[in-house]
Amino acid sequence: MSVFFEQQSKRYSEAIEAYLSGQFKKTEPWGELYASMRYSLLAGGKRIRPMLTLEFCRLHGTAWETALPFGCAVEMVHTYSLIHDDLPCMDNDDLRRGRPTNHKVFGETMAVLAGDGLQAAAFSLLADAELSAAQRIEAVDVLAKACGPAGMVAGQVLDMKVHSSEEELCLLHSLKTGAMIAAAAELGCIAAGVRAAQRQRAREYALKLGLAFQVYDDVLDVTSTEEQLGKPIGSDQEEGKFTFVNLLGVDGALAYAKRCTEEAKSALRGLQDTQFLEELAEYLLHRKN
């Protein structure tokens, strides 16, 4: 990766971490809820979604700091989904990012409530952002659709079903992973005042990026180590999930992820100053976790 990419990623990461660290710090009688929310929200991670929000805002000529509330709202929803995804009634995972999952530390009930709290708080961030009323309303609409019953939640439902084809896997991941990544990119455009008709390239890039991310994630589940991933490997196979590795084999899945990455970069044609987004796509294709 270039020095430019590393420096810009660092700027974004530091701003995102600082913003998120400022949330849920009050001392309340329900303080354990805030502790549970912060435990998962501040557990690290790549922060890809808020980075996309900030970068698409910058790309369209607006100071990226303007989009921080939007980007961090997406990260709150993403974190809530991970907390719930790890629950015994879902994937029943004990580790997330190298440490015990939320319900292992705070109990199942508090983990459910922490996820609920993060989801609600995300929409409060959107509503309170220092942007026009029209932008805030549109942001609420975009994120609600992305994480709701025709988006991420629908993808989670499909994830509990048996699959056997590329078409079914692509639909699953376009909803469970792609919808939120696309929303993150679109929220950056909204923060920059870009009209809906002009956001298609951002959505196309993000959807292909999300698919490449998930395909490569399937590969890492069988080729990486628990130390590198920060969570158990081979979990997909143990749970009987049908993945791109089952469909295409490791080499075929890697080739598929590379093709999706190239398609993501191709979606940026016609836009100026896309170096960060192109390098981000390559970085995700060669990550270790």
Side-chain angles (χ1 to χ4, degrees), residues 71-112:
C72 289
V74 176
E75 192 68 6
M76 285 184 184
V77 172
H78 175 58
T79 303
Y80 120 70
S81 75
L82 297 181
I83 295 173
H84 284 191
D85 199 42
D86 290 336
L87 288 168
C89 63
M90 302 291 278
D91 287 350
N92 194 24
D93 284 326
D94 295 342
L95 286 176
R96 169 73 67 177
R97 292 171 177 162
R99 62 180 190 166
T101 47
N102 196 293
H103 69 274
K104 285 294 180 180
V105 177
F106 295 93
E108 291 180 39
T109 300
M110 190 58 70
V112 170

Side-chain angles (χ1 to χ4, degrees), residues 95-99 224-232 289:
L95 286 176
R96 169 73 67 177
R97 292 171 177 162
R99 62 180 190 166
S224 188
T225 65
E226 185 172 309
E227 290 72 26
Q228 285 181 318
L229 280 185
K231 61 182 180 180
N289 57 34

Side-chain angles (χ1 to χ4, degrees), residues 94-164:
D94 295 342
L95 286 176
R96 169 73 67 177
R97 292 171 177 162
R99 62 180 190 166
T101 47
N102 196 293
H103 69 274
K104 285 294 180 180
V105 177
F106 295 93
E108 291 180 39
T109 300
M110 190 58 70
V112 170
L113 294 173
D116 293 344
L118 284 166
Q119 183 185 38
F123 286 96
S124 181
L125 282 187
L126 299 183
D128 293 341
E130 295 182 358
L131 290 162
S132 72
Q135 285 170 298
R136 285 180 279 140
I137 290 169
E138 193 168 14
V140 168
D141 182 57
V142 165
L143 185 57
K145 287 175 178 173
C147 73
M152 182 181 69
V153 175
Q156 189 64 60
V157 171
L158 292 180
D159 195 34
M160 296 187 292
K161 298 181 179 295
V162 177
H163 305 285
S164 60

Side-chain angles (χ1 to χ4, degrees), residues 46 85 96 173 176-177 209-224 229 231-236 243-245 253-254 257 284-285 287-289:
K46 300 173 189 64
D85 199 42
R96 169 73 67 177
H173 296 309
K176 185 178 178 182
T177 304
L209 188 77
L211 184 55
F213 183 96
Q214 187 58 57
V215 175
Y216 193 67
D217 211 45
D218 289 351
V219 172
L220 289 176
D221 190 62
V222 299
T223 63
S224 188
L229 280 185
K231 61 182 180 180
I233 61 168
S235 57
D236 290 337
T243 71
F244 279 97
V245 172
L254 285 171
L284 293 178
L285 184 63
R287 71 189 193 276
K288 300 299 183 183
N289 57 34

